[in-house]
């Protein structure tokens, strides 16, 4: 480490995960090490141009939240509320242990209650306007996820939703760190959530050319950095992390998964959906995050890359990583397993980066039979790799030219 950043470091003391790889840190970690994709045919996408996805398995909102609560919430909020409960319990905290006015909530989301709006629009335009739900608007609004998590946890500090497309979860964690470093909060529940696997949304993504067309073999469709990649597999999920200042976590004897030491963000100002062809914006975000953490590029041992499995993203991201880090970091994309969970991705992958640091093992990038020869970074494929790790990076890119990078260090 090359800087004095003690009071600027925050610790991850709790983790909640509901992803296509499973529920909770342990189940997710086992699936990542196996490198088995969660993609499958999706009955709810019948009629869409792409009819496969990565869904959260065995999620029973009625059982987990109670039917009276669950029916009032869109799925993206349901996932976040349950993930937040997991994280808070995992941290050994709760409303009876904290000063509620010093607890904040910041969560990333992009598409809000898409499935709710679609169902209600079908009803309205189908001649049943009188049956529209009075809950349609609060169920669909993106900000309601932070509101409901705050209500559920009795958190009275600031609450916020970040919307930087597929960088939203990482942006939320960066914002949470600012709140903690700035003394605004003592505890922040930070993460991201998305549940937008509807026929219309999937068809829209397909029309953009963003999705893999490998419907004959969904489990092999998401193949980040592979020579024959053809698009991403859409997924859903939520991750919530409990963040505290490192000194506070140490003082209460908390278990720390990893520390968030730096954050950087930038805009491409280039194109609505395509990244800058040389990854210039991501390079700026990554260099800013390293400087914020006081970390030299040579100290980074691992990158959990955005790695969507689209031809353009993976190449431009690899270019940026190579310019900043050289070829010394072990790179993986866990989207080969989870698919692309959109606004949740940055938070889910920050959690995976923390687990990688904790276990000293880099999960493989799934489904890579032949690595793209133009990808000039060290991509981990085939099997997990044991690595001595002190510093790792998680990168996120989003439509609109949003870039975010998080630097995590071993606890």
């Amino acid at each position: 480490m090359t800087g004095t950043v003690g009071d600027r470091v925050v610790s991850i003391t709790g983790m909640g995960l509901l992803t296509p790889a499973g529920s909770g840190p342990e189940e997710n970690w086992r699936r990542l090490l196996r490198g088995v994709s969660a993609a499958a045919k999706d009955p709810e996408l019948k009629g869409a141009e792409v009819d496969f996805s990565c869904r959260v398995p065995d999620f029973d909102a009625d059982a987990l939240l109670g039917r009276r609560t669950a029916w009032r919430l869109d799925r993206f909020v349901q996932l976040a509320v349950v993930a937040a409960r997991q994280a808070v319990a995992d941290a050994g905290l709760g409303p009876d242990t904290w000063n509620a006015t010093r607890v904040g909530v910041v969560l990333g989301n992009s598409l809000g209650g898409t499935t709710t709006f679609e169902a209600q629009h079908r009803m309205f335009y189908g001649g049943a306007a009188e049956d529209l739900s009075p809950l349609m608007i609060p169920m669909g609004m993106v900000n309601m996820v932070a509101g409901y998590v705050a209500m559920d946890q009795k958190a009275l500090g600031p609450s916020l939703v970040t919307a930087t497309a597929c960088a939203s979860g990482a942006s939320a964690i960066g914002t949470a760190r600012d709140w903690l470093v700035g003394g605004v909060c003592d505890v922040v529940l930070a993460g991201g959530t998305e549940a937008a696997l509807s026929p219309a949304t999937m068809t829209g993504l397909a029309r953009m050319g963003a999705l893999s067309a490998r419907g004959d073999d969904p489990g092999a469709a998401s193949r980040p950095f592979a020579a024959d990649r053809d698009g991403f597999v859409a997924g859903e999920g939520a991750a919530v992390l409990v963040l505290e200042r490192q000194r506070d976590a140490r003082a209460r004897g908390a278990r720390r998964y990893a520390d968030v030491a730096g954050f950087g963000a930038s805009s491409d100002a280039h194109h609505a959906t395509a990244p800058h062809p040389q990854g210039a914006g991501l390079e700026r975000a990554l260099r800013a995050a390293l400087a914020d953490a006081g970390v030299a590029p040579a100290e980074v041992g691992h990158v959990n890359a955005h790695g969507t499995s689209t031809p353009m993203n993976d190449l431009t991201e690899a270019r940026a990583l190579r310019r900043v880090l050289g070829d010394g970091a072990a790179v993986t994309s866990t989207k080969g397993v989870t698919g692309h969970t959109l606004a949740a991705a940055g938070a889910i992958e920050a959690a995976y980066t923390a687990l990688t640091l904790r276990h000293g093992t880099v999960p493989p990038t799934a489904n890579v039979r032949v690595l793209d020869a133009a990808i000039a970074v060290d991509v981990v494929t085939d099997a997990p790799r044991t690595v001595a790790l002190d510093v790792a990076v998680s990168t996120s890119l989003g439509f609109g030219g949003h870039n975010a990078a998080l630097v995590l260090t071993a606890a």
Side-chain angles (χ1 to χ4, degrees), residues 209-224:
L211 298 182
S212 172
R214 287 192 169 91
D216 58 332
D217 189 8
S222 180
R223 47 184 75 181

Side-chain angles (χ1 to χ4, degrees), residues 40-101:
K41 290 289 187 180
D42 188 336
E44 295 189 35
L45 296 179
K46 186 177 180 179
E49 288 192 11
V50 172
D51 63 356
F52 59 97
S53 71
C54 290
R55 284 195 181 267
V56 174
D58 305 319
F59 180 72
D60 187 338
D62 287 352
L64 292 166
L65 297 169
R67 183 170 179 79
R68 182 177 177 83
T69 296
W71 77 273
R72 294 174 175 270
L73 308 178
D74 188 271
R75 188 174 173 90
F76 84 105
V77 178
Q78 294 172 350
L79 291 169
V81 170
V82 175
R85 289 181 180 181
Q86 286 184 359
V88 170
D90 189 45
L93 294 172
D96 58 339
T97 68
W98 58 37
N99 176 353
T101 64

Side-chain angles (χ1 to χ4, degrees), residues 165-166 205 208-210 232 266-282 284 306 308 310-317 319 396-403:
C166 303
L205 288 169
M208 290 172 58
F232 69 77
S266 71
S267 296
D268 284 346
H270 168 69
H271 189 273
T273 57
H276 187 279
Q278 297 302 320
L282 177 60
R284 290 194 301 275
H306 190 59
T308 58
T310 60
M312 186 173 292
N313 174 91
D314 294 6
L315 180 59
T316 59
E317 183 175 15
R319 287 169 174 165
S396 299
L397 295 80
F399 287 169
H402 300 288
N403 304 285

Side-chain angles (χ1 to χ4, degrees), residues 346-380:
I348 291 170
E349 290 155 16
Y352 290 167
T353 306
L355 292 172
T356 297
L357 284 164
R358 184 170 177 81
H359 293 286
T361 302
V362 178
T365 305
N367 296 324
V368 180
R369 296 182 178 91
V370 178
L371 188 69
D372 185 343
I375 302 293
V377 293
D378 180 16
V379 180
V380 178

Side-chain angles (χ1 to χ4, degrees), residues 26-366:
E26 292 79 13
E27 188 174 343
N28 272 262
W29 186 244
R30 288 193 297 268
R31 183 67 175 258
L32 294 184
L33 293 183
R34 287 168 54 210
V36 176
S37 173
K41 290 289 187 180
D42 188 336
E44 295 189 35
L45 296 179
K46 186 177 180 179
E49 288 192 11
V50 172
D51 63 356
F52 59 97
S53 71
C54 290
R55 284 195 181 267
V56 174
D58 305 319
F59 180 72
D60 187 338
D62 287 352
L64 292 166
L65 297 169
R67 183 170 179 79
R68 182 177 177 83
T69 296
W71 77 273
R72 294 174 175 270
L73 308 178
D74 188 271
R75 188 174 173 90
F76 84 105
V77 178
Q78 294 172 350
L79 291 169
V81 170
V82 175
R85 289 181 180 181
Q86 286 184 359
V88 170
D90 189 45
L93 294 172
D96 58 339
T97 68
W98 58 37
N99 176 353
T101 64
R102 303 284 299 166
V103 178
V105 177
V106 54
L107 299 169
N109 182 255
S110 183
L111 295 173
T114 299
T115 53
T116 292
F117 282 138
E118 284 191 24
Q120 295 293 304
H121 286 181
R122 284 194 300 271
M123 191 180 300
F124 182 85
Y125 291 108
E130 68 278 4
D131 294 328
L132 251 62
S133 171
L135 295 174
M136 180 183 74
I137 298 302
M139 287 178 72
M141 296 169 65
V142 294
N143 69 296
M144 294 304 290
V145 64
Y148 272 113
V149 168
M151 286 183 250
D152 192 63
Q153 294 296 331
K154 306 295 189 292
L156 302 179
S159 63
L160 178 69
V161 166
T162 55
T164 52
C166 303
S168 297
S171 298
I173 294 169
T175 300
R177 178 172 170 270
D178 287 344
W179 288 356
L180 289 162
V181 169
V184 176
C185 297
D186 295 328
V187 176
V188 182
L189 311 184
T193 184
E194 197 85 275
L197 299 178
S198 69
T201 300
M202 292 291 283
T203 299
L205 288 169
R207 294 286 176 88
M208 290 172 58
L211 298 182
S212 172
R214 287 192 169 91
D216 58 332
D217 189 8
S222 180
R223 47 184 75 181
F225 302 117
D228 56 351
R229 65 193 184 277
D230 73 327
F232 69 77
V233 177
E236 64 174 6
V240 176
L241 307 179
V242 175
L243 299 179
E244 306 174 63
R245 283 180 290 271
Q246 185 192 73
R247 65 174 184 269
D248 294 340
R250 284 175 167 167
R252 73 176 185 89
R255 180 270 325 277
R256 293 159 45 231
Y257 284 100
D259 295 329
V260 181
F263 175 70
S266 71
S267 296
D268 284 346
H270 168 69
H271 189 273
T273 57
H276 187 279
Q278 297 302 320
L282 177 60
E283 179 179 352
R284 290 194 301 275
L286 181 52
R287 291 192 187 280
L290 294 172
D292 187 34
V295 165
E299 294 179 84
V300 177
H302 166 57
V303 178
N304 189 305
H306 190 59
T308 58
S309 187
T310 60
M312 186 173 292
N313 174 91
D314 294 6
L315 180 59
T316 59
E317 183 175 15
R319 287 169 174 165
L321 294 176
R322 175 74 183 204
R323 286 197 303 275
V324 178
L325 303 176
D327 62 357
V331 177
T332 194
S333 169
T334 45
K335 289 184 176 72
V337 173
T338 65
H340 190 356
T341 56
L342 307 178
I348 291 170
E349 290 155 16
Y352 290 167
T353 306
L355 292 172
T356 297
L357 284 164
R358 184 170 177 81
H359 293 286
T361 302
V362 178
T365 305

